[in-house]
Amino acid sequence: MRYEFESDGRLISFLDVAVPGPRHAGMVLLLHAFPLDARMWEPQLAAVPAGWRFVAPDLRGFGRSSPDPVAATGTRGLMVPSIDDYARDLLSLLDHLRVPAAVVCGLSMGGYVAFALHRLAPQRVSGLVLADTRPDADSPQARAGREQMQATLAQGGVHPVVEGMIPRLLGATTRASRPAVVDGVRRLAQAQSADAVGPAITRLMTRPDSTKELGGLACPVLLVTGEEDEITGPEIARGMQARLPHAGLVLVGQAGHLSSLERPAAFNEALDRFLEGRIESAGR
Ligand code: MLT
């Protein structure tokens, strides 16, 4: 079901699916990648385990949420876009839903937002699923790539930005043998506005380094990564696990950066097992 609520004069749209079960297990907040929206989580929303509620918001500007206020003033205006903007909207969403804490599952940019949410309000995070993401800030080389992306966006709009990203967003197996997934991701990304994508690029390139915070994560953590992920591959997930001795790590075979979309059954199995508390630390 799709709902919306007003935060700071803007509408935040979200998908919300609850499946009754013998006990009320809790809520999972699903945070989408760049440059997509909540619909990327449809395979997970279609398979919510009994007792759980999955909520997938469109981050500000994306999907059906109101335009990003930064877009109106431009990045030279008074508002400086920060990854924390998305996290603050999510805290308002949790307040609106009267949910004290949720398991936060973020993929790639969604993972950066999950780190921000935990930094701002650790008590609202009862578990973390960090999928195809990384804890560190952009390197100088990555920042230069983002600046190039901003220039492409200014010149040609969202279309060339998305076309430039597709080969890296999806794994080799998906690109070669899952045309429906490739088409679906392309359509989802091409549907986003330049006013969402532009400030998001700034937020990605200015996000803080969360590496030091890894050791201080008190909640259960699951790391999931596509084996063919060319952006945040298995070595990055293993690096995070080295700092998180109690975290489970699941590598999704034949999937790239968008592992939840490329191999939904494998991703859902990992998520379900984590939610059931069955993934044990490799070191325990
Ligand atoms: C994403 O999938 O959200 C992006 O690849 C994140 C990034 O470019 O750092």
Side-chain angles (χ1 to χ4, degrees):
M1 298 305 104
R2 187 175 277 279
Y3 300 95
E4 57 188 23
F5 82 104
E6 200 180 310
S7 167
D8 239 356
R10 286 173 293 107
L11 292 179
I12 299 287
S13 180
F14 59 99
L15 298 170
D16 187 345
V17 177
V19 172
R23 65 193 169 109
H24 174 65
M27 192 181 112
V28 180
L29 199 52
L30 298 164
L31 307 182
H32 65 79
F34 169 85
L36 305 177
D37 65 34
R39 289 172 291 172
M40 73 163 262
W41 295 111
E42 276 166 3
Q44 285 66 48
L45 292 162
V48 175
W52 287 89
R53 177 184 190 184
F54 283 12
V55 171
D58 287 334
L59 297 178
R60 63 166 70 180
F62 288 94
R64 294 207 206 163
S65 285
S66 291
D68 191 326
V70 168
T73 59
T75 48
R76 281 182 296 277
L78 286 178
M79 297 176 107
V80 180
S82 151
I83 199 82
D84 290 4
D85 300 335
Y86 296 138
R88 287 201 190 90
D89 288 343
L90 299 173
L91 291 173
S92 302
L93 173 59
L94 291 177
D95 289 345
H96 167 76
L97 297 174
R98 295 175 203 270
V99 170
V103 173
V104 180
C105 170
L107 190 141
S108 196
M109 177 176 76
Y112 310 156
V113 179
F115 280 123
L117 186 51
H118 186 274
R119 180 164 33 77
L120 293 179
Q123 74 282 6
R124 311 292 301 260
V125 182
S126 57
L128 269 175
V129 182
L130 299 169
D132 300 278
T133 195
R134 61 191 309 146
D136 48 337
D138 269 6
S139 64
Q141 192 192 4
R143 279 180 162 236
R146 307 273 193 210
E147 271 158 16
Q148 181 57 50
M149 203 183 258
Q150 292 280 29
T152 304
L153 184 72
Q155 271 169 14
V158 170
H159 190 271
V161 170
V162 169
E163 290 311 309
M165 285 189 77
I166 291 278
R168 296 188 74 221
L169 278 180
L170 296 165
T173 305
T174 298
R175 294 198 306 270
S177 61
R178 300 182 187 118
V181 174
V182 179
D183 286 355
V185 168
R186 176 172 277 125
R187 251 184 284 116
L188 206 49
Q190 292 292 8
Q192 308 307 322
S193 72
D195 284 352
V197 172
I201 296 170
T202 306
R203 292 189 178 100
L204 292 172
M205 69 192 283
T206 57
R207 72 185 191 278
D209 188 345
S210 299
T211 312
K212 283 204 202 88
E213 281 152 48
L214 281 175
L217 295 178
C219 61
V221 181
L222 171 66
L223 306 164
V224 187
T225 297
E227 274 182 354
E228 298 175 4
D229 186 339
E230 292 168 26
I231 300 178
T232 48
E235 69 291 350
I236 290 172
R238 288 197 187 97
M240 282 198 273
Q241 198 189 27
R243 292 171 180 267
L244 287 165
H246 300 300
L249 169 61
V250 173
L251 299 181
V252 182
Q254 300 189 325
H257 188 57
L258 300 178
S259 59
S260 61
L261 267 174
E262 295 179 56
R263 294 276 324 278
F267 188 96
N268 290 353
E269 189 189 330
L271 180 58
D272 288 3
R273 290 184 60 210
F274 176 70
L275 294 177
E276 284 167 17
R278 281 204 272 123
I279 289 201
E280 297 292 336
S281 140
R284 242 185 256 170

